[in-house]
Amino acid sequence: MIEDKNLEWKEVKCQHIVQDEYIDFRRSDYLLPDGTVFGPYYSYSRRDYVVIVAIDEDGKYICVKQFRHGIKRVTVEFCAGGLEREDGKEYGDRGAAGKAESALDAAKRELMEETGYESDDWKFLLSIPSNPTIADNYANIFLAKNCHKVSGQNLDDTEFLNVDLYTKEEIDALIEAGDFPQVSHVLALLLAEKN
């Protein structure tokens, strides 16, 4: 890891604006490297999640369409979802043993629940911060090859999504059109292409 102690900021004040089972949204002031204190800076904690680049036995990418309330429209993306935690919270200490299911278990569960597909050919690609400017959670990216349909969907109460199969060229066109807008999902596609 690249570190430079002369660049680190020190949090000197933190107010938890919203802290419930879903999010810890904070307002903080920091001591900057030059000795001045500046704020507010806003940040939040959410749970880590998985993104699955799933490819069926015919070489098609298994994607989902769903409404994304941040940009207020339906988008196409890969199957994804949060790591389930024993304490039921949506965020918390990433290093606490036994607090959350493994990323691979979450990936297998999410693929099955959202699409009804499974695979025996899994590869971990990368764990990367989802948005290091304001969030502390990580995206865990997996590649699942030779996926085959074994059941219907088993969606959560707030999940309304359709499953569609796409060629690589069709996904490229969706990215160009702005209809495949999740940054971590575009990264996942690029990483999968290298494997």
Side-chain angles (χ1 to χ4, degrees):
M1 179 189 302
I2 300 172
E3 289 188 39
D4 191 329
K5 295 291 183 188
N6 298 326
L7 297 176
E8 288 184 9
W9 296 10
K10 308 246 183 311
E11 188 176 54
V12 295
K13 181 180 176 186
C14 179
Q15 175 189 8
H16 297 272
I17 297 170
V18 176
Q19 189 176 35
D20 58 20
E21 67 270 24
Y22 299 107
I23 195 167
D24 181 6
F25 185 71
R26 301 173 298 267
R27 176 184 179 185
S28 300
D29 292 341
Y30 284 89
L31 175 64
L32 303 180
D34 67 1
T36 61
V37 174
F38 191 83
Y41 284 95
Y42 294 93
S43 64
Y44 65 88
S45 290
R46 290 274 295 152
R47 65 181 165 168
D48 291 351
Y49 64 99
V50 294
V51 176
I52 306 104
V53 180
I55 303 171
D56 74 3
E57 295 165 312
D58 296 322
K60 296 258 184 124
Y61 291 84
I62 304 164
C63 297
V64 295
K65 285 183 185 174
Q66 60 186 319
F67 182 78
R68 288 302 186 188
H69 62 277
I71 59 174
K72 296 179 178 38
R73 64 187 181 94
V74 174
T75 65
V76 179
E77 59 194 54
F78 293 124
C79 177
L83 275 64
E84 291 186 355
R85 294 174 49 96
E86 291 176 8
D87 61 9
K89 284 190 174 183
E90 295 282 329
Y91 62 91
D93 180 6
R94 315 181 63 237
K99 293 283 185 175
E101 68 185 323
S102 75
L104 179 58
D105 287 344
K108 290 178 178 181
R109 177 183 49 74
E110 286 291 341
L111 181 63
M112 178 66 76
E113 288 176 358
E114 290 189 1
T115 70
Y117 282 82
E118 68 178 11
S119 172
D120 294 323
D121 187 0
W122 287 87
K123 182 173 185 180
F124 172 75
L125 299 178
L126 183 68
S127 182
I128 190 165
S130 67
N131 184 348
T133 303
I134 61 171
D136 63 4
N137 65 334
Y138 281 68
N140 298 280
I141 301 171
F142 288 88
L143 174 62
K145 293 182 179 177
N146 299 309
C147 298
H148 50 281
K149 185 90 166 155
V150 295
S151 71
Q153 295 171 303
N154 183 19
L155 301 175
D156 294 338
D157 292 342
T158 58
E159 285 183 311
F160 299 89
L161 52 89
N162 292 334
V163 178
D164 287 306
L165 304 177
Y166 295 92
T167 64
K168 169 64 171 65
E169 294 75 24
E170 290 169 328
I171 292 178
D172 288 343
L174 289 166
I175 292 169
E176 285 283 324
D179 293 327
F180 195 96
Q182 294 259 23
V183 173
S184 60
H185 295 234
V186 175
L187 172 63
L189 179 65
L190 295 173
L191 292 170
E193 288 178 343
K194 292 171 55 175
N195 287 277

